[in-house]
Amino acid sequence: MTITRLDALMREQEAMASTSRTEIEAMQLRKLNVLLKKEHNRQGFYRSLPESLRSLDELSTLPFTTAEDLTKHGSGLLLLSQSAVERVITERTSGTTGNAKRLFYTAGDLERTIQFFAAGLGELIFPGSVTMICFPFSGPNGLGDLIAEAIQRLGAKSLRVGVGNSYAELAEILEQERPDTFVGMPVPLLSLLRVCGRGSLRRALVSGDACPEAVLRCIEDLLGSKLFPHYGSREMALGGAVTCLAHDGMHLRENHVIAEIVSPDGSPLPEGEWGELVITTIGMEAMPLIRYRTGDRARILPGDCPCGSAIRRLEIRSRLDATEFLDLENAVFSLPWVADYRAAWRADGLHLEVLTCGDPEALPNLAAAWSFRPVRPEDRPLIRGKRGIT
Ligand SMILES: [Zn+2]
């Protein structure tokens, strides 16, 4: 099997002779120490950290950065002057503090994310192919735009579909534009395949939300090919880890992110064990984070990938606090007649509102009240962003 495009990109971006484990780790330590030196000179939020480390193992001795730190000290975490910032994402947080989490990117941060997207998407998108992008198009340098730019660089065509379309609109896109590739969130893809059929679609990259095992399996059955899951977050400039042709975990963008897995008490866990993903974004220019607790449940797969790459592979399950919801997603989407559903807590317990694309039968044993309605062409997704119980 050929080595991944991500290996080639990492060699090019970091001027590395090879992407062996030794060379990757030497590159990471070098970039980490450059970052620590800058933070020391800046005397901002990270002023108490050492100026350099002797080994990557020593990283686990540094304190964590939390989501609360981001909310409280936003500009204190900015490594450059405001004038170097190309884009700011403001994320309203729940709770009563009224504070918002702000994330800053330079033009360089965004450019390197486009290059990473092009490397990941290049495993499944070819010159001349047509991709429907089902992520929000929230303006210049938003997620949709960055993906469209990466696809254009691959010599392929993209359709700026966005999110929240009706099934009738999606069916028309499938018929008129004949896309072969889907890029978007997993549940909307399953819903599209069940209601509209796969049409010309043959391949898909999914990201932006947890992909429950049953959803993955059902999509692969309907699509007739293996999925390419991707993982990213705003804290890492949207691109973080992507699946190769071996489909055995997601290769981490290791010249951008150092990943650690920690137990609930914060101690490091060995490869293979599930815990919380902690990231150090050594590749970020505007707002690098050191040991940021993501709240995502993950593990690092031991050993080299069957594709031959030594780049570490990540498996992500869900948010740490959402394992029960994941069980619900698995149980409900295992039912082939479910087009979409929404779960809500009411005074008398959990209620499931289900759009059906077949006759409901054999309900799983769930402590929930169900209501059904056949899906109509004008229906739109019941949930537009990340899924959860409302
Ligand atoms: Zn691989």
Side-chain angles (χ1 to χ4, degrees):
M1 204 175 279
T2 52
I3 225 129
T4 69
R5 285 169 177 257
L6 184 56
D7 283 88
L9 177 66
M10 202 180 289
R11 285 177 204 178
E12 187 191 312
Q13 287 180 334
E14 308 301 330
M16 294 161 74
S18 85
T19 37
S20 67
R21 237 10 273 155
T22 319
E23 288 213 38
I24 290 172
E25 283 166 20
M27 171 270 295
Q28 288 186 317
L29 182 61
R30 181 177 52 79
K31 291 186 77 159
L32 177 61
N33 280 334
V34 169
L35 171 59
L36 287 171
K37 177 85 180 158
K38 280 186 192 164
E39 295 290 0
H40 180 81
N41 292 342
R42 184 182 179 279
Q43 288 291 300
F45 177 76
Y46 289 122
R47 64 187 169 276
S48 60
L49 297 186
E51 257 183 276
S52 77
L53 299 178
R54 278 162 303 174
S55 75
L56 284 178
D57 287 343
E58 285 183 15
L59 183 58
S60 65
T61 63
L62 305 186
F64 291 116
T65 305
T66 63
E68 200 187 347
D69 291 329
L70 255 63
T71 311
K72 274 191 186 158
H73 308 282
S75 55
L77 282 149
L78 187 59
L79 192 53
L80 301 168
S81 69
Q82 290 274 0
S83 61
V85 171
E86 186 76 16
R87 178 158 195 251
V88 184
I89 297 183
T90 304
E91 198 175 291
R92 298 276 157 216
T93 47
S94 52
T96 52
T97 57
N99 288 330
K101 192 159 85 174
R102 295 172 79 206
L103 296 149
F104 303 87
Y105 309 124
T106 63
D109 288 332
L110 297 166
E111 168 59 26
R112 282 183 291 277
T113 290
I114 295 169
Q115 291 176 10
F116 172 75
F117 283 165
L121 290 165
E123 303 288 353
L124 69 156
I125 291 175
F126 310 99
S129 68
V130 181
T131 299
M132 58 194 294
I133 305 177
C134 297
F135 277 122
F137 283 86
S138 51
N141 294 322
L143 179 58
D145 261 17
L146 299 179
I147 296 170
E149 171 64 24
I151 291 173
Q152 191 185 344
R153 291 187 193 181
L154 292 166
K157 182 180 170 185
S158 61
L159 309 168
R160 301 161 74 94
V161 176
V163 293
N165 296 278
S166 69
Y167 293 103
E169 288 163 350
L170 292 170
E172 192 181 335
I173 291 166
L174 283 181
E175 197 172 314
Q176 301 288 321
E177 309 285 347
R178 302 201 55 76
D180 46 69
T181 309
F182 174 99
V183 174
M185 288 191 284
V187 166
L189 171 58
L190 178 59
S191 192
L192 160 75
L193 292 168
R194 282 184 172 170
V195 178
C196 307
R198 77 166 174 166
S200 49
L201 286 175
R202 294 296 176 266
R203 293 172 292 279
L205 180 141
V206 293
S207 186
D209 204 353
C211 186
E213 190 56 37
V215 171
L216 181 128
R217 217 177 37 246
C218 294
I219 291 174
E220 290 184 343
D221 283 350
L222 290 168
L223 207 55
S225 67
K226 300 278 271 180
L227 265 185
F228 288 83
H230 165 271
Y231 171 76
S233 64
R234 289 168 173 169
E235 289 78 10
M236 51 172 77
L238 309 171
V242 72
T243 308
C244 70
L245 290 167
H247 298 277
D248 192 8
M250 297 175 286
H251 285 287
L252 190 67
R253 188 181 169 191
E254 286 198 278
N255 60 335
H256 186 70
V257 178
I258 298 175
E260 297 172 84
I261 307 293
V262 302
S263 67
D265 71 4
S267 39
L269 290 172
E271 287 188 348
E273 286 193 28
W274 290 96
E276 181 180 1
L277 175 68
V278 171
I279 56 168
T280 298
T281 50
I282 49 173
M284 288 286 281
E285 234 169 23
M287 193 178 179
L289 299 174
I290 295 169
R291 303 201 82 212
Y292 177 74
R293 294 186 83 139
T294 62
D296 288 328
R297 189 167 151 73
R299 66 174 180 153
I300 290 167
L301 296 175
D304 288 355
C305 181
C307 78
S309 173
I311 297 178
R312 275 180 148 180
R313 290 163 301 142
L314 208 59
E315 208 175 322
I316 303 274
R317 203 162 266 173
S318 67
R319 300 286 302 163
L320 286 172
D321 51 9
T323 47
E324 276 179 28
F325 178 66
L326 206 62
D327 291 343
L328 181 67
E329 292 275 89
N330 275 315
V332 178
F333 281 115
S334 294
L335 307 167
W337 44 266
V338 171
D340 193 8
Y341 84 98
R342 177 163 54 191
W345 289 110
R346 294 197 184 155
D348 57 349
L350 188 62
H351 185 94
L352 306 181
E353 177 193 349
V354 183
L355 297 184
T356 64
C357 52
D359 291 332
E361 53 188 59
L363 293 183
N365 192 12
L366 293 172
W370 300 65
S371 68
F372 306 105
R373 175 169 72 71
V375 67
R376 295 176 302 227
E378 64 270 29
D379 278 323
R380 296 174 191 277
L382 293 174
I383 300 172
R384 296 207 182 173
K386 284 198 192 243
R387 296 181 63 81
I389 300 175
T390 54

